[in-house]
Amino acid sequence: MSIGLLLKEVVILKSIRQKLYVYVGITAFGCLLLVFMITGSLTRMEMGLVPVMLIAVFDIVWSGVSFREYKRLKDAQLIIENRILNICPVISDQNDRRVSGIPAENLEVFISCFGILFDSRIIKFSQEGIRLKSVDIGRDFITLTYGDDRQIRSTRLLRPEIDSSEMIGIVEKFRYETGIIPTIIA
Amino acid sequence: MEKKETGKGFSSIHLSEQNIAVIVFSLFFSWLLSFPFQGQIFYTLARSVGFSSNSLIFEVIAAHFAGLFLCGFVIKTHWAARKLMLFSIAFCLTASFTFFFAPSHLWNIALISSSFLAGGCVAAWGFFLKSGTPKNERIKTSADGLIFSNILMILLNMAAIHISPRIGLGLSMLVLGAAFFFARRLPGAEPEVMPSCSKSLESHYGIARPLAFLCIFVVVITINSGLMYQVQGPAYAHLEWLTSWYWAIPYVVALYIMRNLPRRINRTYILYIAIAMIGFSYISFMLLDRSAASYLVVNTLMLGACGVYDLFWWSILGEMLDLTDNPAQILGMGLSANVLGVLLGGLVGNTIGDGPNSSLLAMAVVCVTLVILPPLHRHLTLVLKDHAYLTVISEMLPVERSKALDSFIAMGQLTGRESEIAQLLLKGKTYKAIAAELHVSENTVKTHIKNIYAKYKIQSRSELINLLLKQELSTLG
């Protein structure tokens, strides 16, 4: 594993972690405020019910947001720990439209048996009922098709060329980890 | 395991190791219950000489807890266990002489040190429970020990209360002497190790988790016992003529019933009945007066429930002994949880004191324990069921096991990685062990296992094993 790659992993996880700390901090602040309002109202200060309810709702919402961010961090760690392939791609969705807003040269995409991680965005599969259905590897792209019983989606990642020995290793990893044998498209 | 004939016995009476173990335990435990461990002999003795025992009681219980907990870390062999038991009994006998004299600091030292050693002695007895009794009879051995010790305790207490505290003390020392006499007949040699009782089982199955859950369960339940001593007990102090003998009767009866219950009866229902009995005991305590009739109701409910639960965890601890080379550690830790619960309950009860809301607060504590008990019990059952199933697999021949695993895994259409993990899971490895063996993270293992369960449409390891065994049966059929 190159140092550069390791640094990129650290950077991605760090950004997700930082977001998590911010959300947890906001939640904790809200909880303290709520406790202060409740205890204050039991002693001398009279607090209306509405502000207390608003703060309570605020706390519940931010707890949910914090928990979701925590789950994202766990998913990102899972993808990085079980990486099969990482590439610097140009991203297009299933309609071949390029996804805007992301400078391709700064992007590192991690593909694993549990999903795809690019920037701090995550596509999950082989978890929570979402199955990886097929993997197609072309000369300059890789397409992953995944979904559950209700919906199937594809993500195509344009990638630089990979040499044949590395390709054999990638195919074998996909087969072993996911049970899917990638289709090599000439 | 075959019973060993070791005792010389009186005249033509031959005592097996199992019988000797029960006798030694009954005699020693009766002394423990009647004297240092909140025993009536000590209370009446202290009262008769104007000695304040309130704070000392908690120190004694804490010392006993420490002895139970630490024994397994020091005593690791049969020989050492026997030596400790003999030394402890002899020490306790010597220390008891102190109480014939006027109260002094020696009383504190003697009581605390003998409680500590008594804890070690009880834990060390685990070696003889394991070696002297076959696995499926340990519930009966444990029940016999508890029944006889409590009956003896009642007699010793009555002697102390109705005749004289010093007579009670003297009789308890005679009982200790008898315990020493029989303890000398316990075997000192290490028993032959059965093939299934190997160290690999312990490391494989991670006995720590089921033991930890059992200990939490025990602590939570026995908080009620501790509360009972501090809240209910003093309320009926004026009925000493009744409490001196009836106190442990429901406990003995419950033990006897549970001991002789047919295997087909579902004991889980009885545990829930016992939970309800504890609750009703406190409700009755709050609603009824302090007459003899109300004491009979309150005490029967509470001590009956205690009997049910005590035998429940004693029997589980007895089963767990086969999964370790150090029975003193398992029995010691399990029973220390019991003592810890009594200590915590006692401290709570003592803190509440005799205020007007003492019963209400006690009831609140009971309600909290009753709410968390069912989920705790469910989890404990799952964890123990896991263990029981894993034992079945470990008893298969290796070739048989390998064949069964291969065909089972093929049936689930698992990926290569999932197959690898499923094999290790079915061998009883913990998640951490699997992760270490495959050089992946524990989170990765957990995710793969969730996927495996989803493919088989199940929720737990025990269900997975159950499926495997069903498939194996249908193949053989």
Side-chain angles (χ1 to χ4, degrees):
Chain A
M1 194 194 303
S2 69
I3 303 251
L5 194 56
L6 194 60
L7 278 172
K8 280 180 180 157
E9 288 173 5
V10 167
V11 162
I12 291 173
L13 290 176
K14 193 177 172 183
S15 75
I16 300 176
R17 218 175 265 130
Q18 276 173 348
K19 241 195 234 176
L20 176 64
Y21 291 156
V22 168
Y23 293 161
V24 167
I26 293 171
T27 310
F29 173 73
C31 289
L32 275 171
L33 192 59
L34 186 66
V35 167
F36 171 73
M37 288 170 87
I38 292 171
T39 53
S41 71
L42 288 178
T43 54
R44 289 175 302 163
M45 295 162 62
E46 282 293 324
M47 293 283 174
L49 186 61
V50 170
V52 171
M53 294 299 293
L54 280 174
I55 297 290
V57 167
F58 173 87
D59 283 341
I60 291 168
V61 165
W62 276 101
S63 303
V65 168
S66 303
F67 181 71
R68 198 185 67 166
E69 199 60 25
Y70 172 74
K71 284 249 1 173
R72 288 189 71 247
L73 178 65
K74 285 288 167 199
D75 290 336
Q77 280 173 334
L78 192 65
I79 290 170
I80 287 177
E81 283 162 8
N82 294 280
R83 181 185 53 234
I84 293 176
L85 174 64
N86 57 281
I87 51 182
C88 289
V90 173
I91 302 171
S92 69
D93 65 11
Q94 59 195 44
N95 295 322
D96 268 334
R97 289 186 306 235
R98 284 184 177 229
V99 174
S100 62
I102 304 160
E105 60 273 14
N106 292 332
L107 198 63
E108 190 77 28
V109 180
F110 297 90
I111 302 169
S112 92
C113 54
F114 291 119
I116 306 169
L117 171 67
F118 52 98
D119 196 18
S120 56
R121 275 179 276 187
I122 296 170
I123 295 172
K124 284 197 283 192
F125 42 74
S126 300
Q127 303 175 59
E128 297 169 12
I130 302 169
R131 296 270 211 71
L132 182 65
K133 303 282 186 188
S134 67
V135 178
D136 299 320
I137 303 178
R139 226 159 45 122
D140 59 356
F141 67 89
I142 176 166
T143 305
L144 297 111
T145 307
Y146 49 89
D148 54 21
D149 297 332
R150 289 167 299 168
Q151 195 182 22
I152 306 283
R153 299 190 76 169
S154 287
T155 297
R156 174 175 286 199
L157 302 164
L158 302 176
R159 56 159 185 83
E161 213 169 309
I162 301 174
D163 69 49
S164 55
S165 58
E166 208 182 320
M167 184 65 72
I168 293 168
I170 290 166
V171 167
E172 177 55 26
K173 272 191 197 171
F174 267 113
R175 187 199 64 77
Y176 185 72
E177 297 284 350
T178 68
I180 302 290
I181 300 174
T183 308
I184 309 292
I185 296 166
Chain B
M1 185 174 285
E2 291 178 9
K3 292 182 194 176
K4 293 178 202 166
E5 296 287 334
T6 55
K8 287 177 188 165
F10 298 103
S11 62
S12 61
I13 300 172
H14 292 285
L15 295 171
S16 66
E17 187 186 339
Q18 184 177 2
N19 290 339
I20 294 175
V22 170
I23 291 169
V24 169
F25 179 84
S26 304
L27 292 169
F28 184 75
F29 210 61
S30 67
W31 169 83
L32 181 66
L33 293 176
S34 61
F35 187 37
F37 196 85
Q38 298 192 313
Q40 287 302 318
I41 294 177
F42 176 68
Y43 280 134
T44 50
L45 201 57
R47 249 195 335 261
S48 69
V49 296
F51 181 81
S52 170
S53 58
N54 279 341
S55 61
L56 181 59
I57 284 298
F58 294 112
E59 287 161 18
V60 165
I61 297 173
H64 190 61
F65 164 80
L68 282 166
F69 189 81
L70 294 172
C71 177
F73 293 100
V74 177
I75 303 297
K76 296 180 196 283
T77 64
H78 228 81
W79 176 88
R82 184 175 174 272
K83 287 288 173 204
L84 175 66
M85 286 184 73
L86 288 171
F87 175 75
S88 302
I89 296 170
F91 183 91
C92 293
L93 191 56
T94 314
S96 299
F97 274 108
T98 322
F99 297 89
F100 282 110
F101 303 102
S104 65
H105 286 304
L106 270 179
W107 275 36
N108 295 37
I109 295 167
L111 208 55
I112 291 172
S113 53
S114 51
S115 293
F116 177 78
L117 281 171
C121 185
V122 171
W125 183 76
F127 276 92
F128 304 100
L129 175 63
K130 180 182 174 183
S131 66
T133 313
K135 190 176 164 188
N136 56 357
E137 284 185 34
R138 286 194 195 131
I139 185 171
K140 291 197 170 156
T141 302
S142 306
D144 290 342
L146 290 171
I147 288 169
F148 293 131
S149 59
N150 274 270
I151 291 172
L152 267 173
M153 176 203 72
I154 292 171
L155 297 172
L156 291 171
N157 285 346
M158 287 180 71
I161 292 168
H162 298 295
I163 306 175
S164 140
R166 286 191 166 79
I167 300 270
L169 178 63
L171 287 172
S172 73
M173 289 170 69
L174 272 174
V175 163
L176 264 185
F180 186 85
F181 174 76
F182 283 101
R184 286 177 62 230
R185 293 169 180 224
L186 289 169
E190 297 298 322
E192 284 171 23
V193 176
M194 296 291 282
S196 60
C197 301
S198 65
K199 211 165 194 168
S200 64
L201 271 178
E202 184 184 348
S203 57
H204 250 110
Y205 297 155
I207 198 172
R209 196 158 164 251
L211 184 62
F213 265 103
L214 180 66
C215 287
I216 295 170
F217 183 81
V218 170
V219 169
V220 167
I221 278 273
T222 48
I223 284 175
N224 294 298
S225 303
L227 264 176
M228 170 196 68
Y229 282 118
Q230 296 296 319
V231 176
Q232 287 183 358
Y236 297 105
H238 59 286
L239 296 171
E240 207 173 51
W241 61 271
L242 179 60
T243 60
S244 63
W245 64 275
Y246 186 74
W247 181 72
I249 297 290
Y251 182 79
V252 170
V253 169
L255 284 171
Y256 184 78
I257 292 170
M258 290 296 288
R259 177 198 187 279
N260 295 311
L261 218 53
R263 278 191 171 272
R264 67 174 186 280
I265 304 270
N266 189 340
R267 285 157 201 260
T268 310
Y269 293 124
I270 298 175
L271 290 178
Y272 283 108
I273 292 171
I275 293 175
M277 282 168 69
I278 294 174
F280 282 125
S281 168
Y282 273 100
I283 292 170
S284 309
F285 180 71
M286 279 161 43
L287 296 177
L288 299 175
D289 57 17
R290 301 288 176 254
S291 65
S294 74
Y295 173 76
L296 288 174
V297 171
V298 169
N299 190 67
T300 303
L301 288 169
M302 177 57 85
L303 269 292
C306 287
V308 168
Y309 276 109
D310 271 9
L311 197 57
F312 168 69
W313 55 70
W314 268 91
S315 67
I316 292 179
L317 289 171
E319 300 300 310
M320 281 185 180
L321 296 182
D322 276 330
L323 299 176
T324 178
D325 282 341
N326 191 343
Q329 198 165 52
I330 300 298
L331 193 66
M333 283 190 172
L335 295 181
S336 69
N338 189 343
V339 173
L340 181 62
V342 170
L343 180 63
L344 291 174
L347 286 170
V348 169
N350 198 50
T351 310
I352 292 168
D354 290 332
N357 294 321
S358 62
S359 300
L360 273 172
L361 280 169
M363 192 63 200
V365 172
V366 168
C367 287
V368 167
T369 62
L370 292 179
V371 163
I372 65 175
L373 263 173
L376 201 57
H377 176 244
R378 258 197 309 274
H379 208 96
L380 176 66
T381 309
L382 269 171
V383 168
L384 289 172
K385 210 171 160 184
D386 235 17
H387 245 268
Y389 277 126
L390 286 168
T391 312
V392 170
I393 292 194
S394 77
E395 284 166 3
M396 287 170 143
L397 292 169
V399 169
E400 227 176 44
R401 189 166 63 224
S402 177
K403 202 172 152 201
L405 286 175
D406 289 342
S407 65
F408 179 69
I409 283 164
M411 184 183 90
Q413 296 177 324
L414 303 180
T415 65
R417 179 65 88 187
E418 286 169 356
S419 306
E420 217 177 6
I421 290 175
Q423 295 249 5
L424 295 172
L425 194 66
L426 287 167
K427 282 177 186 169
K429 302 242 176 182
T430 60
Y431 291 2
K432 203 171 175 183
I434 295 173
E437 192 161 325
L438 299 179
H439 307 290
V440 294
S441 69
E442 212 175 315
N443 199 17
T444 301
V445 170
K446 284 181 188 168
T447 311
H448 278 300
I449 287 172
K450 272 192 212 164
N451 291 339
I452 292 168
Y453 290 165
K455 284 186 178 176
Y456 286 106
K457 296 188 177 55
I458 53 173
Q459 307 276 346
S460 67
R461 190 196 321 228
S462 50
E463 286 180 72
L464 188 70
I465 299 170
N466 193 24
L467 268 180
L468 167 69
L469 294 172
K470 273 187 188 163
Q471 188 221 243
E472 186 58 13
L473 267 172
S474 64
T475 313
L476 294 171

